[in-house]
Amino acid sequence: MVTVEGEMKITDGRRTSGAYWELKSKGYGKVCAAIRARADCDENFDMIKGWLRTCMESHEPCSKHQGGETFLPTRLIDIGAGNDAAPLQPRLVISSSLDQKTPYFVLSYCWGTDRGKTAHKTTRDNLPLHLENIETTNLSKTYIDAMEVIQKLGYRYIWIDALCIIQDERSDFEVECSQMNQIYSRAYCTIVAADSPDGDGGCFIPRDTEGVNAATYHAINKRIPYYPDGIMDVIRGRFETDPDSADVTIYPNFGPWIKSINRGPVFRRGWCLQEREMSPRVLHFTKSRILWECRESNASEDAPEMVSKAAQNLQLGSHLSSARLFDDQKTTAKLKTRSGVSYEGPKWERLAEAYSQRKLSVATDKLPAISGLAAALSLRQPGDTYLAGIWRSDLLKGISWIPTKLAESLPVDFPVSGASTDAMISSTQALSITKNELELETDDIWAPKPVQPSIPSWSWAAHNGPIRFCGESWYSGSWTKTIGEDGEEKWIKSKIEVDIEFASVNHTGKDPFGCVSGGELVLRGWVADVDLSGDMFHEEIETTDVFNAKCYSGPSGASMAIYFDKDAGYLRYIHVLLLQLGTGKNARGTTLNGDCGLVLVSTRKKSAVYRRVGMFDITGDKEMWHSLRKKRTVRII
């Protein structure tokens, strides 16, 4: 809002001055657009051409990702030859008939809440027809807008998943899905329909020009001395050389660059995470402006000069950084534990956490929708093995994850007894509420069937919802007290006392990073069979805004927190196997010297095969827990 009088900060790029000005809008002022009235105007396409040209000519990192052998997707959409005003004439082409260096664009978008049922798709039946012609009347606005973008930029080919993959042929999906890393990383540029929740929104969303206009006013210097409001005010007075008057333009503030894209529906779609990360160049068509990003720089319609990401992100908090994890070739990034300790950790950990917060229309896409990133990362860490969302080289920390919010409560026909425990009491000890009194088996009510039964229970991908890795908390903080040779108590680094004897998954298709049909993990470590009862359950646990835990206390003073993968409701009784993974900070990162590990249940009564249902940590007096532990080999599926 502009008033006729007010305090104003003025800068010439090198110094900032404060002064009191009178704004003369009547007769002097004029309105000029910082953001153009339409996204699809010639000025914007000229601007985009400049971004593309500069990136191709000057940014080596943006092209090195496209090195190696030439690549084209199996099929592309040819929008037709002709000038940028010619009618679109799209048809599918088999890419083997093209020059393998042909540049192509890709589209990143939301299919819609109906799982794409109304989207026009390529099927076995209409494939021959699509190879001849694709009727534009059948296509969504998003498809048409994307085709118009590449036409205006002077290009001819685009890849759109719904049209370039045969949607009712599983084998074709598997082949194309296994190439996602190549499809996006070798694309000339990715077009993102950032604010369209479905195919109807498009790239060129009508703009609110009233909200994005800039205003230019003729300002008169009132020569009133300026005084800072407080010690945090960086302005220290006015300059004698301030002009008597000046034209001042006030532009709309869109906030940090990244905020303009992470508010949109595409940012919440599971598939779109890897689409953005793998693309060397991206054009985001948001409802307010066009944004550009590549490996090197950012730019926007209101600030078209390309700015180095490295320079820009130094001025921002990490949560506002526009850097993508795949902008460099490293496999690690700066991460933080729950307690705020910084460490250099695997990029995959951060990617998986971000991905778990996104939504998928088809539940079975959980692994395929991130397979491109896994394939790209495998090229950077040769010799490693990918196990349904977890890397073999980081397996123990990879299986140490906790849901950050509980899933839906377990549906039962009666009040399922409560998650509480007589802390830890062995199965030979009496329970205040016995199993016979309940007249039901643990497996009758617990654990509920996993959302993705084909994915091993120990993988975060088997959980439907956001997760947080906690392995670094106990791994980096794994110190324990001992008595030295001098009789004095001291802290020593704990050794990891669990061995990985076997780890494998069964792939269902051709993609080694895609769908699986189960898997097996065999660990040898400290375990204990524990019966948990409801009579000593208590809520006295450190509350956090991230994790949910059920706390159990024992007669010896130990305290155990269980983080169930799915809400356990109120369990009167449950028999579990606790498998310790490490000793250090507890999962919440709030207490030192805690024993942390997996909570397992038998897959069938008296079966030696287990599946994960959560994690635990034990703090306080752990004497009883240690007396129950035994070294044992455990098979987890």
Side-chain angles (χ1 to χ4, degrees):
M1 179 177 178
V2 179
T3 57
V4 295
E5 278 193 22
E7 189 178 287
M8 185 177 296
K9 296 180 182 180
I10 312 161
T11 180
D12 61 3
R14 293 178 293 107
R15 56 183 188 171
T16 303
S17 172
Y20 199 84
W21 294 76
E22 179 182 7
L23 302 180
K24 294 286 189 180
S25 59
K26 186 175 181 180
Y28 296 92
K30 61 179 180 179
V31 175
C32 57
I35 300 295
R36 298 175 181 97
R38 292 175 57 91
D40 56 338
C41 64
D42 291 341
E43 292 86 353
N44 278 347
F45 289 119
D46 287 340
M47 174 185 68
I48 294 170
K49 288 177 183 177
W51 290 338
L52 288 168
R53 183 169 54 253
T54 299
C55 182
M56 290 298 294
E57 293 175 354
S58 309
H59 297 169
E60 182 183 351
C62 302
S63 297
K64 80 163 63 170
H65 293 253
Q66 298 168 287
E69 298 180 3
T70 57
F71 171 86
L72 286 180
T74 305
R75 305 173 194 90
L76 287 170
I77 299 166
D78 180 358
I79 65 168
N83 58 46
D84 61 12
L88 294 171
Q89 297 177 319
R91 66 183 181 94
L92 271 182
V93 293
I94 305 301
S95 300
S96 58
S97 65
L98 303 174
D99 181 340
Q100 293 303 289
K101 293 184 179 180
T102 298
Y104 67 92
F105 285 64
V106 293
L107 175 64
S108 180
Y109 67 108
C110 290
W111 279 46
T113 56
D114 64 350
R115 299 186 179 183
K117 292 178 181 177
T118 59
H120 190 67
K121 300 179 285 286
T122 294
T123 63
R124 284 172 291 186
D125 289 340
N126 66 18
L127 176 60
L129 181 62
H130 280 188
L131 289 169
E132 295 293 330
N133 176 58
I134 302 175
E135 291 289 343
T136 55
T137 54
N138 294 331
L139 299 180
S140 70
K141 185 178 186 299
T142 298
Y143 295 175
I144 295 294
D145 285 357
M147 292 178 190
E148 289 183 354
V149 169
I150 69 167
Q151 183 186 54
K152 292 289 187 181
L153 296 177
Y155 295 89
R156 185 168 172 175
Y157 298 96
I158 187 169
W159 188 88
I160 300 174
D161 54 4
L163 297 175
C164 295
I165 300 175
I166 303 173
Q167 296 297 317
D168 58 353
E169 190 171 291
R170 186 69 191 179
S171 60
D172 193 65
F173 171 81
E174 290 176 353
V175 169
E176 299 306 304
C177 193
S178 68
Q179 299 185 118
M180 285 296 176
N181 171 40
Q182 298 276 53
I183 290 172
Y184 282 89
S185 65
R186 300 297 186 92
Y188 189 68
C189 185
T190 295
I191 297 168
V192 181
D195 280 319
S196 178
D198 51 39
D200 295 331
C203 299
F204 310 138
I205 298 176
R207 294 177 167 183
D208 175 15
T209 54
E210 292 296 322
V212 298
N213 280 343
T216 298
Y217 292 87
H218 188 71
I220 308 298
N221 192 341
K222 300 290 286 184
R223 298 294 180 187
I224 299 175
Y226 174 84
Y227 298 99
D229 290 333
I231 60 172
M232 296 303 292
D233 195 329
V234 297
I235 299 174
R236 293 290 180 259
R238 50 187 297 276
F239 301 119
E240 293 299 326
T241 55
D242 283 347
D244 292 328
S245 65
D247 286 330
V248 179
T249 302
I250 301 173
Y251 289 89
N253 183 3
F254 292 99
W257 188 96
I258 192 66
K259 289 286 188 180
S260 292
I261 64 170
N262 66 13
R263 297 188 185 104
V266 162
F267 196 82
R268 297 187 290 273
R269 181 179 178 241
W271 282 95
C272 293
L273 174 66
Q274 69 175 12
E275 292 168 4
R276 179 186 173 223
E277 282 285 346
M278 294 186 298
S279 301
R281 304 170 194 87
V282 186
L283 281 170
H284 299 273
F285 285 83
T286 74
K287 60 186 177 182
S288 59
R289 56 180 176 161
I290 300 172
L291 302 170
W292 161 273
E293 69 173 322
C294 61
R295 303 290 182 202
E296 285 267 301
S297 65
N298 291 330
S300 59
E301 188 178 338
D302 57 313
E305 183 178 354
M306 299 171 80
V307 179
S308 163
K309 282 187 174 182
Q312 186 182 66
N313 290 328
L314 283 175
Q315 304 172 21
L316 299 171
S318 59
H319 65 294
L320 297 177
S321 170
S322 60
R324 297 174 291 175
L325 291 174
F326 272 62
D327 280 345
D328 61 48
Q329 291 292 308
K330 294 170 60 179
T331 60
T332 60
K334 290 183 179 180
L335 308 176
K336 280 188 177 182
T337 65
R338 175 60 191 155
S339 56
V341 177
S342 297
Y343 67 100
E344 189 78 10
K347 285 183 177 179
W348 184 256
E349 187 174 301
R350 186 165 156 194
L351 286 167
E353 289 180 347
Y355 177 67
S356 71
Q357 298 178 48
R358 297 186 174 220
K359 302 296 182 183
L360 290 168
S361 299
V362 181
T364 53
D365 285 349
K366 191 65 175 282
L367 289 173
I370 201 172
S371 63
L373 286 175
L377 203 58
S378 71
L379 299 176
R380 305 181 185 188
Q381 44 192 53
D384 209 344
T385 303
Y386 184 70
L387 302 165
I390 297 172
W391 294 95
R392 178 65 172 78
S393 62
D394 207 40
L395 184 61
L396 294 181
K397 286 193 283 185
I399 62 175
S400 302
W401 52 270
I402 296 177
T404 56
K405 64 179 179 181
L406 292 177
E408 58 197 0
S409 298
L410 178 65
V412 290
D413 296 330
F414 58 93
V416 183
S417 348
S420 48
T421 86
D422 194 345
M424 296 160 291
I425 46 184
S426 71
S427 56
T428 59
Q429 291 176 281
L431 297 173
S432 59
I433 302 178
T434 68
K435 194 177 199 179
N436 290 335
E437 288 172 336
L438 289 176
E439 296 182 346
L440 50 85
E441 300 287 341
T442 301
D443 282 351
D444 290 340
I445 59 171
W446 187 263
K449 299 300 180 185
V451 176
Q452 285 292 305
S454 63
I455 300 177
S457 65
W458 35 267
S459 170
W460 59 268
H463 177 71
N464 184 26
I467 59 94
R468 194 81 163 267
F469 290 101
C470 58
E472 186 64 29
S473 289
W474 59 260
Y475 187 79
S476 62
S478 53
W479 299 81
T480 188
K481 286 182 180 179
T482 188
I483 304 298
E485 294 180 358
D486 56 1
E488 296 293 324
E489 189 179 73
K490 64 178 181 178
W491 288 91
I492 62 170
K493 184 74 172 176
S494 301
K495 62 179 180 179
I496 296 177
E497 298 186 89
V498 59
D499 297 317
I500 305 168
E501 297 192 348
F502 182 77
S504 179
V505 295
N506 305 314
H507 299 287
T508 61
K510 300 178 181 179
D511 186 1
F513 307 101
C515 293
V516 299
S517 59
E520 183 178 351
L521 178 61
V522 180
L523 302 177
R524 180 170 180 78
W526 290 110
V527 301
D529 284 291
V530 171
D531 292 329
L532 306 178
S533 70
D535 58 338
M536 294 190 69
F537 168 69
H538 64 87
E539 298 284 358
E540 287 139 15
I541 188 171
E542 304 99 319
T543 59
T544 74
D545 58 351
V546 177
F547 298 137
N548 295 277
K550 296 186 182 296
C551 194
Y552 300 78
S553 62
S556 64
S559 177
M560 177 168 65
I562 290 187
Y563 312 87
F564 286 115
D565 295 342
K566 194 168 184 178
D567 192 352
Y570 181 77
L571 293 169
R572 294 190 193 94
Y573 169 88
I574 182 174
H575 179 79
V576 298
L577 184 73
L578 303 182
L579 169 61
Q580 183 177 344
L581 294 179
T583 298
K585 289 185 178 180
N586 62 0
R588 299 178 305 284
T590 57
T591 304
L592 294 172
N593 198 28
D595 289 351
C596 312
L598 299 178
V599 181
L600 309 170
V601 296
S602 177
T603 55
R604 295 182 303 276
K605 185 166 61 173
K606 298 182 179 179
S607 170
V609 181
Y610 294 85
R611 59 191 176 100
R612 172 193 157 125
V613 295
M615 288 200 71
F616 75 90
D617 58 55
I618 299 172
T619 55
D621 187 348
K622 296 181 286 186
E623 182 179 350
M624 183 184 68
W625 152 246
H626 288 170
S627 70
L628 292 175
R629 298 185 313 177
K630 293 181 180 179
K631 279 278 185 175
R632 181 171 147 194
T633 299
V634 181
R635 180 185 174 204
I636 313 168
I637 61 172

